[in-house]
Amino acid sequence: MKTLLKPLLASVLLFSTLVAGGLHAQASTSGKPVAISADNAVLLTVFLKHDQSRNLNEIRTKLTEQELFKVFPPEGVEIVSWTIAMGIGHVIVLRFPASRLREVNLAIERSAW
């Protein structure tokens, strides 16, 4: 079954971390999302690879059907930039607390992958 999912999400690249100890930021003990701050924020660049067999409208329709725009980005995740680059596809830069990396990854996997 040929879908947009496999070629769409090519890779996730950790662009820059601002956390001194890596991705081991402490989660909130109350279970509430941790706010973005200088000592726990990461920038993540996500590439949604261009699918040459479809035009931009077809790709957008497929992403809408998969409800990407309802679940991505999760609440509390900041979109720094969202660029559609010719020959590359969607290039999305996100900023969020390091402890929320799993949540961001799941949002992409469940809706764009």
Side-chain angles (χ1 to χ4, degrees), residues 35-75:
I36 299 171
S37 67
D39 65 336
N40 75 352
V42 295
L43 287 175
L44 180 75
T45 302
V46 179
F47 295 91
L48 300 178
K49 191 172 160 184
H50 177 66
D51 180 359
Q52 293 183 8
S53 68
R54 299 171 191 227
N55 64 36
L56 185 58
N57 290 334
E58 292 171 331
I59 291 171
R60 186 175 260 308
T61 300
K62 186 66 174 175
L63 292 175
T64 302
E65 287 172 3
Q66 293 172 196
E67 299 184 340
L68 173 72
F69 304 110
K70 290 183 181 179
V71 298
F72 183 80
E75 187 177 334

Side-chain angles (χ1 to χ4, degrees), residues 9 12 16 20-21 26 33 41-42 44-45 48 53 61 77 80 87 89 91 107:
L9 186 60
V12 175
S16 171
Q26 296 293 322
V42 295
L44 180 75
T45 302
L48 300 178
S53 68
T61 300
V77 174
V80 176
V91 180

